[in-house]
Amino acid sequence: RKEVEQDPGPFNVPEGATVAFNCTYSNSASQSFFWYRQDCRKEPKLLMSVYSSGNEDGRFTAQLNRASQYISLLIRDSKLSDSATYLCVVVSGGYNKLIFGAGTRLAVHP
Amino acid sequence: GAGVSQSPSNKVTEKGKDVELRCDPISGHTALYWYRQSLGQGLEFLIYFQGNSAPDKSGLPSDRFSAERTGGSVSTLTIQRTQQEDSAVYLCASSPEGDRPLGGANVLTFGAGSRLTVL
């Protein structure tokens, strides 16, 4: 079983739609969680951290459920520019070992 | 520098040749990571440096792969006797601190990657 699992998609949604991505992780000792965004043929960039209480950044909301070892990302009012691959990232180990999921691809169409 | 620099950006080599990939992290960043991303795949962890030492080399696929970091700065990833399955984008990232769990302020900044093609 992979340490971090994501639905690969693709998710094809119209502009303005709300879309949710899920991610599960296997190491219950994992300490920190992030969502990164990767545009086609570009390097990953941090989208947002994920806090236990849940957190919001504009149209983006991240949730963490430690009991279920589950992370989610909700995007409201999708824009064309949101089209990208969204990578779930889990920090495990005694230091900052970041484990990346394989990513969920989002395509927003007019 | 302002960002993480990687070179070469593209490398085409013949099977069996050795290649060296270079990473110049953000100045002052103590932690440095190498990842590999094959076409359409996620990021595969290779190795992590804290300063010049590598506490975790567990991701290196075989003994053909090695990496070093000198002066707490530049890192080189070397692949000996390249194979076609080594073809991928090799991504380097750095962060300010590596000896405690990351908080919201300590995130990885990636370079643009080195695209390796082994013919």
Side-chain angles (χ1 to χ4, degrees):
Chain A
R1 181 188 173 190
K2 291 182 181 178
E3 284 196 63
V4 180
E5 300 217 49
Q6 296 182 248
D7 181 341
F11 284 63
N12 293 299
V13 302
E15 276 186 290
T18 295
V19 61
F21 305 140
N22 302 322
C23 170
T24 57
Y25 60 95
S26 60
N27 185 349
S28 59
S30 298
Q31 301 138 335
S32 302
F33 310 89
F34 302 89
W35 283 100
Y36 274 69
R37 168 190 170 133
Q38 186 172 28
D39 292 297
C40 189
R41 298 179 78 87
K42 296 287 190 181
E43 70 274 21
K45 292 184 179 177
L46 178 71
L47 177 66
M48 60 194 302
S49 303
V50 185
Y51 301 123
S52 297
S53 55
N55 51 297
E56 193 173 302
D57 183 1
R59 298 181 293 108
F60 298 83
T61 300
Q63 298 275 0
L64 168 64
N65 184 324
R66 285 189 186 270
S68 302
Q69 295 177 208
Y70 171 96
I71 306 159
S72 66
L73 176 68
L74 182 78
I75 305 175
R76 292 183 300 278
D77 187 23
S78 299
K79 311 291 185 191
L80 294 176
S81 57
D82 294 335
S83 298
T85 297
Y86 291 83
L87 304 169
C88 176
V89 183
V90 172
V91 182
S92 297
Y95 63 90
N96 298 321
K97 182 174 181 177
L98 276 72
I99 306 297
F100 284 75
T104 298
R105 193 154 61 89
L106 171 66
V108 182
H109 57 81
Chain B
V4 178
S5 298
Q6 290 190 246
S7 61
S9 55
N10 273 287
K11 176 73 176 178
V12 180
T13 191
E14 293 179 346
K15 178 182 171 181
K17 300 282 189 183
D18 297 352
V19 297
E20 275 192 1
L21 308 176
R22 176 189 167 105
C23 174
D24 201 340
I26 291 173
S27 178
H29 279 196
T30 57
L32 185 148
Y33 302 76
W34 283 98
Y35 287 85
R36 176 169 77 172
Q37 188 170 32
S38 302
L39 187 62
Q41 303 297 311
L43 274 71
E44 176 189 0
F45 170 83
L46 298 179
I47 189 169
Y48 156 77
F49 286 93
Q50 177 57 28
N52 290 336
S53 62
D56 190 344
K57 305 178 183 179
S58 63
L60 294 177
S62 73
D63 59 7
R64 296 186 296 104
F65 287 73
S66 63
E68 65 174 15
R69 189 180 185 195
T70 56
S73 181
V74 172
S75 176
T76 304
L77 177 69
T78 301
I79 310 173
Q80 295 178 309
R81 305 180 303 282
T82 51
Q83 303 294 313
Q84 288 181 333
E85 61 264 28
D86 299 335
S87 296
V89 176
Y90 289 80
L91 289 159
C92 175
S94 68
S95 74
E97 298 183 48
D99 57 356
R100 63 184 186 199
L102 284 175
N106 292 342
V107 301
L108 264 59
T109 301
F110 281 86
S114 292
R115 183 175 300 274
L116 174 66
T117 304
V118 182
L119 301 176

